Amino acid sequence: ALLPELVALFISDSTANLDKLQLALQQRDQQALILLSHTLKSVCATYGAQRCHHEARELEKAARGGQWEGIAAGVNLLAQTLPPTMQALELWCHQACC
């Protein structure tokens, strides 16, 4: 019974973190990029979102290294892959729980 609430929280938080990542990229806020990518990496791993976990891990590495081209590519990649991953998780949860 708790799973739908947890998945909804994952989706809400991940959407907010993706928005914050894009803002941090625009502002070239390296520390925020490190923190946000680390957070997404951990949460995606928890929910089995392996592709997004890998992408967030690579983004975190780029952010820690100050590799701005890699950071921009990583943020853009997560912006493309995280939304469909969240939708798939939500659908799976709905099918499994209902």
Side-chain angles (χ1 to χ4, degrees), residues 32-55:
L33 287 159
I34 292 168
L35 177 63
L36 292 163
S37 59
H38 180 79
T39 300
L40 273 174
K41 175 185 75 173
S42 299
V43 173
C44 288
T46 299
Y47 284 90
Q50 294 303 312
R51 181 176 179 182
C52 292
H53 165 78
H54 174 75
E55 292 166 358

Side-chain angles (χ1 to χ4, degrees), residues 6-26:
L6 292 173
V7 168
L9 183 61
F10 166 72
I11 291 169
S12 175
D13 287 350
S14 296
T15 300
N17 284 337
L18 184 56
D19 290 342
K20 291 176 186 175
L21 269 175
Q22 291 169 325
L23 181 61
L25 175 60
Q26 290 173 359

Side-chain angles (χ1 to χ4, degrees), residues 3-4 7 11 86-98:
L3 187 59
V7 168
I11 291 169
M86 292 185 293
Q87 289 175 335
L89 184 57
E90 185 175 41
L91 178 62
W92 171 83
C93 182
H94 179 72
Q95 291 172 344
C97 298
C98 298

